[in-house]
């Protein structure tokens, strides 16, 4: 059953016949229901389904956090969610096409994306407590890089499909930041560093910082 909460000219929410309505990014969308597929599924479609599955395994730990909405900021009028944007980036740049052994190529994965300068000489290393210390070069003043750019940190453990991520209190000017990894101590984590602008309207393409033994 569908609802039209604001009268006949208002939003259409729910299902009526073969039409469904829903809200996304405070906008109302209407679409026809998908028809079930008939006949055998092609190898090409199976390969695409496997790609989506691999991408979803990576993004699932971030579900409900709004993390990618902040690290993949959109331009005015862009209705794509952060989840849609990161999935698109993974499918376009970071996934192998060798079904059924489909995998992500970690150095090509982006956890933030935008027009700001990326971190320079970014590195990550485990400290004595098993946390990850990220460092980067001082590139303030190059292009749109500012000392107030907010640091974004991500560590992902492929073996357990867990992630630790942080939109940090640290800034580009600090040159270093720490990610608490006690929850994944003893694991091997893939790591990334990125920036978002302090007003949230832009971001930098993140940089892969390597595989870290915790």
């Amino acid at each position: 059953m569908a609802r039209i909460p604001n009268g006949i000219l208002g939003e259409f929410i729910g299902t009526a016949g073969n039409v469904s309505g829903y809200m996304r990014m405070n906008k109302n969308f209407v679409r026809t229901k998908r028809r079930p597929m008939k006949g055998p599924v092609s190898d090409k479609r199976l390969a695409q389904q496997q790609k989506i599955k691999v991408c979803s395994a990576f993004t699932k730990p971030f579900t409900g956090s709004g993390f990618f909405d902040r690290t993949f900021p959109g331009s005015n009028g862009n209705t794509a969610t952060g989840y849609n944007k990161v999935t698109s980036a993974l499918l376009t740049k970071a996934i192998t096409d060798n079904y059924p052994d489909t995998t992500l190529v970690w150095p090509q994965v982006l956890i933030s994306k935008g027009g700001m300068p990326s971190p320079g000489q970014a590195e990550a290393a485990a400290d004595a407590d098993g946390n990850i210390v990220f460092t980067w070069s001082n590139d303030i003043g190059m292009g749109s890089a500012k000392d107030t750019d907010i640091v974004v940190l991500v560590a992902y453990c492929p073996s357990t499909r867990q992630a630790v991520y942080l939109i940090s209190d640290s800034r580009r000017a600090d040159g270093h930041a720490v990610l608490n990894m006690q929850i994944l101590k003893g694991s091997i984590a893939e790591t990334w560093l990125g920036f978002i602008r302090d007003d949230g309207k832009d971001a930098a393409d993140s940089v892969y910082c390597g595989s870290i033994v915790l």
Side-chain angles (χ1 to χ4, degrees), residues 46-47 50-51 54 94-105:
L46 287 171
Q50 181 66 13
K51 288 181 180 180
V54 169
I95 201 159
T96 62
D97 194 14
N98 55 342
Y99 174 81
D101 300 317
T102 308
T103 58
L104 288 173
V105 181

Side-chain angles (χ1 to χ4, degrees), residues 21-204:
Y22 61 99
M23 299 295 295
R24 188 176 73 184
M25 307 289 284
N26 295 319
K27 294 186 178 182
N28 187 217
F29 294 86
V30 178
R31 66 184 177 191
T32 57
K33 295 175 67 175
R34 296 177 180 174
R35 297 179 180 178
M37 293 187 60
K38 296 181 180 180
V41 181
S42 67
D43 289 344
K44 183 177 180 179
R45 187 170 183 85
L46 287 171
Q48 184 65 17
Q49 289 175 347
Q50 181 66 13
K51 288 181 180 180
I52 296 294
K53 182 178 179 181
V54 169
C55 292
S56 295
F58 176 77
T59 58
K60 185 176 181 180
F62 301 85
T63 301
S65 67
F67 180 82
F68 292 126
D69 288 328
R70 294 187 64 184
T71 64
F72 283 74
S75 58
N76 292 336
N78 190 334
T79 60
T81 64
Y83 172 82
N84 294 145
K85 293 174 186 176
V86 69
T87 300
S88 176
L90 292 172
L91 290 171
T92 302
K93 297 177 177 294
I95 201 159
T96 62
D97 194 14
N98 55 342
Y99 174 81
D101 300 317
T102 308
T103 58
L104 288 173
V105 181
W106 301 122
Q108 304 303 319
V109 168
L110 293 177
I111 54 87
S112 66
K113 182 175 176 59
M116 294 165 49
S118 296
Q121 300 179 26
E123 297 181 353
D127 65 11
D129 297 320
N131 297 318
I132 300 177
V133 179
F134 292 81
T135 58
W136 57 92
S137 61
N138 183 351
D139 56 2
I140 297 167
M142 296 180 61
S144 60
K146 296 182 179 180
D147 56 355
T148 54
D149 294 338
I150 299 170
V151 177
V152 179
L153 309 173
V154 169
Y156 177 77
C157 179
S159 64
T160 61
R161 296 183 177 179
Q162 292 177 281
V164 178
Y165 48 94
L166 178 66
I167 296 178
S168 176
D169 291 333
S170 299
R171 297 294 187 267
R172 190 190 288 260
D174 295 330
H176 71 280
V178 178
L179 187 62
N180 188 316
M181 294 300 298
Q182 296 307 306
I183 191 174
L184 292 180
K185 196 168 183 178
S187 302
I188 298 176
E190 310 298 332
T191 59
W192 295 267
L193 168 68
F195 295 127
I196 56 177
R197 206 164 75 186
D198 60 350
D199 64 4
K201 294 182 178 180
D202 201 0

